[in-house]
Amino acid sequence: MTIDISTNTQKLDMDFIHRFLTRSYWAKKRTKQKVSTTIKNPLCFGVYLDNKQIGFARVLTDYAVFGYLMDVFIIEEQRGNGYSKLLMKAIMEHPDLQNISRWMLATSDAHKLYTQFGFTALPDPTKIMAKLITKSIT
């Protein structure tokens, strides 16, 4: 079996990504159009096992200071094989992301994975603000 991690967006299977995200706890209501739009600008990583996509992640970044890690997943039937660690390693070692000094992400259930790559809880969460819009803007 051959595992490949690629940033070539032409290889991404939009139907696969959309199906997974709409079953996730964080992106249940994303339309296929919205998923397509979210992939246009970030640096995207596809994970392929024998040329079939099994995972995905994207980094929203300015390539100089800040990177926000988003939509990281490996399909359920391939979890436990170390593929998420390979994906994280590829992201953290990507040449275009080496100048980033502030990384952020949000997770409800994958703390153990991310701590292996240096992520920690915010030292002072009172400094971070958010604006959440719950209704869809058309």
Side-chain angles (χ1 to χ4, degrees), residues 114-137:
Y114 299 121
T115 57
Q116 295 174 58
F117 293 90
F119 287 84
T120 62
L122 292 171
D124 185 357
T126 63
K127 292 182 179 182
I128 304 298
M129 297 178 69
K131 178 180 178 181
L132 302 175
I133 299 172
T134 56
K135 65 178 182 171
S136 179
I137 298 173

PDB file of all heavy atoms in Angstrom, residues 114-137:
ATOM      1  N   TYR A 114      -2.751  16.758  18.375  1.00  0.00           N
ATOM      2  CA  TYR A 114      -2.139  18.066  18.173  1.00  0.00           C
ATOM      3  C   TYR A 114      -1.054  18.395  19.193  1.00  0.00           C
ATOM      4  O   TYR A 114      -0.099  19.091  18.860  1.00  0.00           O
ATOM      5  CB  TYR A 114      -3.218  19.146  18.135  1.00  0.00           C
ATOM      6  CG  TYR A 114      -4.199  18.925  17.002  1.00  0.00           C
ATOM      7  CD1 TYR A 114      -5.557  18.768  17.249  1.00  0.00           C
ATOM      8  CD2 TYR A 114      -3.761  18.843  15.680  1.00  0.00           C
ATOM      9  CE1 TYR A 114      -6.452  18.550  16.209  1.00  0.00           C
ATOM     10  CE2 TYR A 114      -4.645  18.632  14.637  1.00  0.00           C
ATOM     11  CZ  TYR A 114      -5.988  18.480  14.911  1.00  0.00           C
ATOM     12  OH  TYR A 114      -6.865  18.264  13.882  1.00  0.00           O
ATOM     13  N   THR A 115      -1.178  17.896  20.412  1.00  0.00           N
ATOM     14  CA  THR A 115      -0.117  18.159  21.394  1.00  0.00           C
ATOM     15  C   THR A 115       1.202  17.522  20.964  1.00  0.00           C
ATOM     16  O   THR A 115       2.264  18.034  21.293  1.00  0.00           O
ATOM     17  CB  THR A 115      -0.496  17.683  22.807  1.00  0.00           C
ATOM     18  OG1 THR A 115      -0.808  16.301  22.771  1.00  0.00           O
ATOM     19  CG2 THR A 115      -1.654  18.478  23.365  1.00  0.00           C
ATOM     20  N   GLN A 116       1.147  16.438  20.191  1.00  0.00           N
ATOM     21  CA  GLN A 116       2.368  15.804  19.685  1.00  0.00           C
ATOM     22  C   GLN A 116       3.127  16.724  18.730  1.00  0.00           C
ATOM     23  O   GLN A 116       4.316  16.517  18.486  1.00  0.00           O
ATOM     24  CB  GLN A 116       2.030  14.504  18.949  1.00  0.00           C
ATOM     25  CG  GLN A 116       1.453  13.438  19.832  1.00  0.00           C
ATOM     26  CD  GLN A 116       1.019  12.235  19.014  1.00  0.00           C
ATOM     27  OE1 GLN A 116       1.829  11.642  18.312  1.00  0.00           O
ATOM     28  NE2 GLN A 116      -0.249  11.882  19.105  1.00  0.00           N
ATOM     29  N   PHE A 117       2.443  17.743  18.219  1.00  0.00           N
ATOM     30  CA  PHE A 117       3.053  18.667  17.277  1.00  0.00           C
ATOM     31  C   PHE A 117       3.210  20.063  17.870  1.00  0.00           C
ATOM     32  O   PHE A 117       3.356  21.047  17.140  1.00  0.00           O
ATOM     33  CB  PHE A 117       2.243  18.690  15.975  1.00  0.00           C
ATOM     34  CG  PHE A 117       2.343  17.375  15.258  1.00  0.00           C
ATOM     35  CD1 PHE A 117       1.430  16.365  15.515  1.00  0.00           C
ATOM     36  CD2 PHE A 117       3.384  17.125  14.379  1.00  0.00           C
ATOM     37  CE1 PHE A 117       1.538  15.127  14.887  1.00  0.00           C
ATOM     38  CE2 PHE A 117       3.503  15.897  13.753  1.00  0.00           C
ATOM     39  CZ  PHE A 117       2.587  14.896  13.996  1.00  0.00           C
ATOM     40  N   GLY A 118       3.182  20.143  19.194  1.00  0.00           N
ATOM     41  CA  GLY A 118       3.490  21.398  19.884  1.00  0.00           C
ATOM     42  C   GLY A 118       2.310  22.294  20.187  1.00  0.00           C
ATOM     43  O   GLY A 118       2.485  23.370  20.753  1.00  0.00           O
ATOM     44  N   PHE A 119       1.110  21.894  19.835  1.00  0.00           N
ATOM     45  CA  PHE A 119      -0.067  22.715  20.131  1.00  0.00           C
ATOM     46  C   PHE A 119      -0.422  22.565  21.603  1.00  0.00           C
ATOM     47  O   PHE A 119      -0.328  21.480  22.166  1.00  0.00           O
ATOM     48  CB  PHE A 119      -1.259  22.298  19.265  1.00  0.00           C
ATOM     49  CG  PHE A 119      -1.136  22.719  17.825  1.00  0.00           C
ATOM     50  CD1 PHE A 119      -0.433  21.941  16.922  1.00  0.00           C
ATOM     51  CD2 PHE A 119      -1.715  23.895  17.385  1.00  0.00           C
ATOM     52  CE1 PHE A 119      -0.310  22.318  15.596  1.00  0.00           C
ATOM     53  CE2 PHE A 119      -1.603  24.286  16.064  1.00  0.00           C
ATOM     54  CZ  PHE A 119      -0.897  23.492  15.163  1.00  0.00           C
ATOM     55  N   THR A 120      -0.822  23.675  22.228  1.00  0.00           N
ATOM     56  CA  THR A 120      -1.235  23.686  23.627  1.00  0.00           C
ATOM     57  C   THR A 120      -2.485  24.548  23.760  1.00  0.00           C
ATOM     58  O   THR A 120      -2.849  25.279  22.836  1.00  0.00           O
ATOM     59  CB  THR A 120      -0.143  24.284  24.528  1.00  0.00           C
ATOM     60  OG1 THR A 120       0.082  25.651  24.143  1.00  0.00           O
ATOM     61  CG2 THR A 120       1.162  23.507  24.435  1.00  0.00           C
ATOM     62  N   ALA A 121      -3.113  24.464  24.911  1.00  0.00           N
ATOM     63  CA  ALA A 121      -4.228  25.365  25.199  1.00  0.00           C
ATOM     64  C   ALA A 121      -3.686  26.792  25.239  1.00  0.00           C
ATOM     65  O   ALA A 121      -2.509  27.018  25.544  1.00  0.00           O
ATOM     66  CB  ALA A 121      -4.868  24.996  26.535  1.00  0.00           C
ATOM     67  N   LEU A 122      -4.533  27.755  24.953  1.00  0.00           N
ATOM     68  CA  LEU A 122      -4.108  29.152  24.976  1.00  0.00           C
ATOM     69  C   LEU A 122      -3.645  29.541  26.370  1.00  0.00           C
ATOM     70  O   LEU A 122      -4.349  29.264  27.352  1.00  0.00           O
ATOM     71  CB  LEU A 122      -5.259  30.066  24.564  1.00  0.00           C
ATOM     72  CG  LEU A 122      -5.704  29.972  23.107  1.00  0.00           C
ATOM     73  CD1 LEU A 122      -6.989  30.759  22.898  1.00  0.00           C
ATOM     74  CD2 LEU A 122      -4.612  30.485  22.185  1.00  0.00           C
ATOM     75  N   PRO A 123      -2.493  30.191  26.471  1.00  0.00           N
ATOM     76  CA  PRO A 123      -2.030  30.602  27.797  1.00  0.00           C
ATOM     77  C   PRO A 123      -2.955  31.639  28.428  1.00  0.00           C
ATOM     78  O   PRO A 123      -3.126  31.665  29.633  1.00  0.00           O
ATOM     79  CB  PRO A 123      -0.639  31.180  27.543  1.00  0.00           C
ATOM     80  CG  PRO A 123      -0.447  31.241  26.078  1.00  0.00           C
ATOM     81  CD  PRO A 123      -1.542  30.492  25.411  1.00  0.00           C
ATOM     82  N   ASP A 124      -3.553  32.501  27.603  1.00  0.00           N
ATOM     83  CA  ASP A 124      -4.486  33.501  28.118  1.00  0.00           C
ATOM     84  C   ASP A 124      -5.655  33.619  27.142  1.00  0.00           C
ATOM     85  O   ASP A 124      -5.658  34.482  26.262  1.00  0.00           O
ATOM     86  CB  ASP A 124      -3.789  34.852  28.284  1.00  0.00           C
ATOM     87  CG  ASP A 124      -4.691  35.891  28.939  1.00  0.00           C
ATOM     88  OD1 ASP A 124      -5.870  35.591  29.220  1.00  0.00           O
ATOM     89  OD2 ASP A 124      -4.214  37.018  29.151  1.00  0.00           O
ATOM     90  N   PRO A 125      -6.654  32.756  27.295  1.00  0.00           N
ATOM     91  CA  PRO A 125      -7.778  32.771  26.345  1.00  0.00           C
ATOM     92  C   PRO A 125      -8.596  34.061  26.380  1.00  0.00           C
ATOM     93  O   PRO A 125      -9.354  34.314  25.453  1.00  0.00           O
ATOM     94  CB  PRO A 125      -8.630  31.570  26.769  1.00  0.00           C
ATOM     95  CG  PRO A 125      -8.172  31.190  28.115  1.00  0.00           C
ATOM     96  CD  PRO A 125      -6.786  31.708  28.290  1.00  0.00           C
ATOM     97  N   THR A 126      -8.411  34.894  27.398  1.00  0.00           N
ATOM     98  CA  THR A 126      -9.163  36.147  27.447  1.00  0.00           C
ATOM     99  C   THR A 126      -8.691  37.122  26.368  1.00  0.00           C
ATOM    100  O   THR A 126      -9.374  38.101  26.082  1.00  0.00           O
ATOM    101  CB  THR A 126      -9.042  36.819  28.824  1.00  0.00           C
ATOM    102  OG1 THR A 126      -7.669  37.167  29.072  1.00  0.00           O
ATOM    103  CG2 THR A 126      -9.568  35.908  29.923  1.00  0.00           C
ATOM    104  N   LYS A 127      -7.536  36.873  25.768  1.00  0.00           N
ATOM    105  CA  LYS A 127      -7.032  37.747  24.704  1.00  0.00           C
ATOM    106  C   LYS A 127      -7.602  37.394  23.327  1.00  0.00           C
ATOM    107  O   LYS A 127      -7.497  38.178  22.405  1.00  0.00           O
ATOM    108  CB  LYS A 127      -5.507  37.669  24.631  1.00  0.00           C
ATOM    109  CG  LYS A 127      -4.817  38.277  25.826  1.00  0.00           C
ATOM    110  CD  LYS A 127      -3.324  38.200  25.647  1.00  0.00           C
ATOM    111  CE  LYS A 127      -2.605  38.829  26.830  1.00  0.00           C
ATOM    112  NZ  LYS A 127      -1.152  38.807  26.650  1.00  0.00           N
ATOM    113  N   ILE A 128      -8.185  36.235  23.191  1.00  0.00           N
ATOM    114  CA  ILE A 128      -8.717  35.788  21.909  1.00  0.00           C
ATOM    115  C   ILE A 128     -10.201  36.102  21.846  1.00  0.00           C
ATOM    116  O   ILE A 128     -10.955  35.814  22.779  1.00  0.00           O
ATOM    117  CB  ILE A 128      -8.497  34.267  21.705  1.00  0.00           C
ATOM    118  CG1 ILE A 128      -7.014  33.917  21.829  1.00  0.00           C
ATOM    119  CG2 ILE A 128      -9.074  33.801  20.378  1.00  0.00           C
ATOM    120  CD1 ILE A 128      -6.121  34.569  20.794  1.00  0.00           C
ATOM    121  N   MET A 129     -10.615  36.689  20.732  1.00  0.00           N
ATOM    122  CA  MET A 129     -12.022  37.022  20.547  1.00  0.00           C
ATOM    123  C   MET A 129     -12.532  36.330  19.289  1.00  0.00           C
ATOM    124  O   MET A 129     -11.752  35.969  18.408  1.00  0.00           O
ATOM    125  CB  MET A 129     -12.202  38.533  20.425  1.00  0.00           C
ATOM    126  CG  MET A 129     -11.798  39.282  21.678  1.00  0.00           C
ATOM    127  SD  MET A 129     -11.965  41.065  21.491  1.00  0.00           S
ATOM    128  CE  MET A 129     -13.728  41.240  21.409  1.00  0.00           C
ATOM    129  N   ALA A 130     -13.830  36.168  19.219  1.00  0.00           N
ATOM    130  CA  ALA A 130     -14.449  35.554  18.047  1.00  0.00           C
ATOM    131  C   ALA A 130     -15.775  36.229  17.765  1.00  0.00           C
ATOM    132  O   ALA A 130     -16.420  36.773  18.669  1.00  0.00           O
ATOM    133  CB  ALA A 130     -14.669  34.065  18.294  1.00  0.00           C
ATOM    134  N   LYS A 131     -16.148  36.180  16.515  1.00  0.00           N
ATOM    135  CA  LYS A 131     -17.485  36.623  16.106  1.00  0.00           C
ATOM    136  C   LYS A 131     -18.098  35.471  15.351  1.00  0.00           C
ATOM    137  O   LYS A 131     -17.619  35.082  14.288  1.00  0.00           O
ATOM    138  CB  LYS A 131     -17.407  37.855  15.221  1.00  0.00           C
ATOM    139  CG  LYS A 131     -18.765  38.326  14.732  1.00  0.00           C
ATOM    140  CD  LYS A 131     -18.642  39.537  13.854  1.00  0.00           C
ATOM    141  CE  LYS A 131     -20.015  39.952  13.336  1.00  0.00           C
ATOM    142  NZ  LYS A 131     -19.913  41.123  12.451  1.00  0.00           N
ATOM    143  N   LEU A 132     -19.111  34.876  15.915  1.00  0.00           N
ATOM    144  CA  LEU A 132     -19.752  33.712  15.310  1.00  0.00           C
ATOM    145  C   LEU A 132     -21.092  34.127  14.728  1.00  0.00           C
ATOM    146  O   LEU A 132     -21.918  34.724  15.431  1.00  0.00           O
ATOM    147  CB  LEU A 132     -19.942  32.608  16.339  1.00  0.00           C
ATOM    148  CG  LEU A 132     -18.663  32.125  17.022  1.00  0.00           C
ATOM    149  CD1 LEU A 132     -18.993  31.106  18.106  1.00  0.00           C
ATOM    150  CD2 LEU A 132     -17.710  31.527  16.011  1.00  0.00           C
ATOM    151  N   ILE A 133     -21.296  33.819  13.469  1.00  0.00           N
ATOM    152  CA  ILE A 133     -22.557  34.113  12.796  1.00  0.00           C
ATOM    153  C   ILE A 133     -23.247  32.786  12.552  1.00  0.00           C
ATOM    154  O   ILE A 133     -22.711  31.927  11.845  1.00  0.00           O
ATOM    155  CB  ILE A 133     -22.311  34.877  11.471  1.00  0.00           C
ATOM    156  CG1 ILE A 133     -21.612  36.196  11.794  1.00  0.00           C
ATOM    157  CG2 ILE A 133     -23.618  35.081  10.738  1.00  0.00           C
ATOM    158  CD1 ILE A 133     -21.146  36.963  10.580  1.00  0.00           C
ATOM    159  N   THR A 134     -24.401  32.602  13.148  1.00  0.00           N
ATOM    160  CA  THR A 134     -25.060  31.308  13.064  1.00  0.00           C
ATOM    161  C   THR A 134     -25.984  31.188  11.870  1.00  0.00           C
ATOM    162  O   THR A 134     -26.304  30.093  11.444  1.00  0.00           O
ATOM    163  CB  THR A 134     -25.866  31.021  14.348  1.00  0.00           C
ATOM    164  OG1 THR A 134     -26.782  32.091  14.550  1.00  0.00           O
ATOM    165  CG2 THR A 134     -24.931  30.903  15.547  1.00  0.00           C
ATOM    166  N   LYS A 135     -26.423  32.273  11.315  1.00  0.00           N
ATOM    167  CA  LYS A 135     -27.299  32.187  10.137  1.00  0.00           C
ATOM    168  C   LYS A 135     -26.440  32.241   8.872  1.00  0.00           C
ATOM    169  O   LYS A 135     -25.371  32.839   8.854  1.00  0.00           O
ATOM    170  CB  LYS A 135     -28.333  33.285  10.122  1.00  0.00           C
ATOM    171  CG  LYS A 135     -27.751  34.684   9.990  1.00  0.00           C
ATOM    172  CD  LYS A 135     -28.835  35.725   9.931  1.00  0.00           C
ATOM    173  CE  LYS A 135     -28.166  37.087   9.760  1.00  0.00           C
ATOM    174  NZ  LYS A 135     -29.115  38.113   9.479  1.00  0.00           N
ATOM    175  N   SER A 136     -26.918  31.614   7.847  1.00  0.00           N
ATOM    176  CA  SER A 136     -26.210  31.584   6.569  1.00  0.00           C
ATOM    177  C   SER A 136     -26.432  32.899   5.844  1.00  0.00           C
ATOM    178  O   SER A 136     -27.552  33.386   5.753  1.00  0.00           O
ATOM    179  CB  SER A 136     -26.695  30.418   5.716  1.00  0.00           C
ATOM    180  OG  SER A 136     -26.020  30.435   4.496  1.00  0.00           O
ATOM    181  N   ILE A 137     -25.352  33.462   5.337  1.00  0.00           N
ATOM    182  CA  ILE A 137     -25.432  34.693   4.572  1.00  0.00           C
ATOM    183  C   ILE A 137     -25.450  34.314   3.086  1.00  0.00           C
ATOM    184  O   ILE A 137     -24.558  33.632   2.619  1.00  0.00           O
ATOM    185  CB  ILE A 137     -24.249  35.629   4.877  1.00  0.00           C
ATOM    186  CG1 ILE A 137     -24.259  36.031   6.345  1.00  0.00           C
ATOM    187  CG2 ILE A 137     -24.305  36.855   3.989  1.00  0.00           C
ATOM    188  CD1 ILE A 137     -23.048  36.809   6.762  1.00  0.00           C
TER     189      ILE A 137
END
